Amino acid sequence: MVPLSADEGDESMTEIAGYAPEAVALAATLTLLAGLATSIGGMIGVAARTPGPKFLAGALGCSAGVMLYVSFVEILPKAQEYLGEALGAKAGAWAAVGAFFLGIAIIAVIDFFVPEDINPHEPANATKPASGALLAQRSHLMKAGVMTAVALGLHNFPEGFATFVSGLEDLSVALPVVVAIAIHNIPEGVAVAVPIREATGSRRAGLRWATLSGLAEPAGALLGFLVLLPFMSPATMGVAFAAVAGVMVFISLDELLPTAEKTGEHHVAIYGLVAGMAVMALSLLLFI
């Protein structure tokens, strides 16, 4: 999907920042679906049994493999293409690399300011959402669950924008990105739902909070799009794509792989990683 030309824009009064409404609606829908994967985690969290270590290791490893492969093979090169068109080949390449590390810096700063003991992107908290807390007071559990949901919301903002930008520009990139982010949202939903279920005794409350935490992704997409709306151009999209690649690489290396390793299923995590890369590679080859 590409922006409408100036001539097309004159004929259409309903375009949004040069994009057809259908393109914006599709990107928003994909982002919503990825965010609502926390509901799946919420359902697992309020069920009788929680996911085993092999499931978490394989799923998180697969998600990391997809995100790493698509970031370096597809999204970053696409950013260089956009920026090269706007700034020239050499300047565009430098700008893409700069925006890539800017994306890493943004998500790292967000990560830094979320307290470690409630940060669901910390491996111990993601794999054992209610560890130790089951014996604590109900008020403490409720606070932990709510704060985890808030922390997830902060982290999910840039992830939502990543999904939205991908869906807006290239569906072949967007679909695997949606799948990868959805997979890693599942254990995050577990992390929110379990302590709230234990605190309130209500499965519905746990599921509700898990779902709300995932809605931060479409909110982040909407906010990012509205902020960038007046500045949409090849250069803007290039910077956004490169920053998105940085965000996804950081999440993979700082969150997904360490969390998968903490399950104790090292080989399952690595097999999942390789499988995710292979699936991503095959999906891209099919679009050539």
Side-chain angles (χ1 to χ4, degrees):
M1 299 176 190
V2 295
L4 298 174
S5 66
D7 292 337
E8 290 172 322
D10 291 338
E11 297 174 0
S12 173
M13 299 301 291
T14 59
E15 65 183 50
I16 305 173
Y19 292 90
E22 295 81 2
V24 176
L26 178 60
T29 300
L30 291 174
T31 305
L32 179 63
L33 291 175
L36 288 179
T38 56
S39 296
I40 299 176
M43 286 186 281
I44 295 172
V46 301
R49 298 179 60 184
T50 54
K54 287 188 177 181
F55 169 82
L56 286 174
L60 292 171
C62 180
S63 181
V66 169
M67 293 174 76
L68 288 171
Y69 193 92
V70 76
S71 294
F72 286 121
V73 176
E74 186 73 8
I75 298 180
L76 191 55
K78 188 173 290 291
Q80 286 187 277
E81 179 183 332
Y82 276 115
L83 289 167
E85 176 186 339
L87 306 175
K90 186 172 182 179
W94 278 93
V97 171
F100 173 79
F101 285 102
L102 175 63
I104 291 178
I106 290 172
I107 189 65
V109 168
I110 292 174
D111 211 57
F112 177 79
F113 283 106
V114 176
E116 184 173 332
D117 59 341
I118 62 168
N119 189 342
H121 282 198
E122 293 299 326
N125 297 333
T127 56
K128 298 179 181 179
S131 177
L134 291 175
L135 301 178
Q137 297 179 354
R138 286 177 175 265
S139 60
H140 175 74
L141 283 170
M142 188 65 190
K143 180 180 179 181
V146 171
M147 291 303 292
T148 297
V150 172
L152 268 173
L154 292 174
H155 282 277
N156 285 346
F157 258 66
E159 291 176 17
F161 186 61
T163 309
F164 184 81
V165 169
S166 300
L168 197 61
E169 286 297 308
D170 193 333
L171 191 60
S172 66
V173 175
L175 290 178
V177 169
V178 168
V179 172
I181 290 181
I183 288 173
H184 102 257
N185 278 349
I186 291 174
E188 293 183 350
V190 175
V192 174
V194 170
I196 290 180
R197 180 196 66 182
E198 295 300 320
T200 63
S202 170
R203 295 173 185 265
R204 289 185 179 181
L207 180 58
R208 182 167 57 249
W209 277 95
T211 301
L212 287 174
S213 69
L215 291 178
E217 293 202 358
L222 177 62
L223 180 61
F225 185 65
L226 291 177
V227 169
L228 295 176
L229 187 63
F231 311 104
M232 285 294 182
S233 68
T236 304
M237 296 309 301
V239 170
F241 260 70
V244 161
V247 168
M248 294 175 67
V249 167
F250 183 89
I251 290 170
S252 298
L253 299 180
D254 181 68
E255 174 199 351
L256 300 180
L257 286 178
T259 303
E261 288 287 332
K262 285 289 185 179
T263 64
E265 297 290 345
H266 167 77
H267 287 100
V268 176
I270 297 303
Y271 297 152
L273 173 72
V274 175
M277 296 177 73
V279 169
M280 183 67 253
L282 179 61
S283 68
L284 291 177
L285 289 172
L286 292 176
F287 286 97
I288 292 178

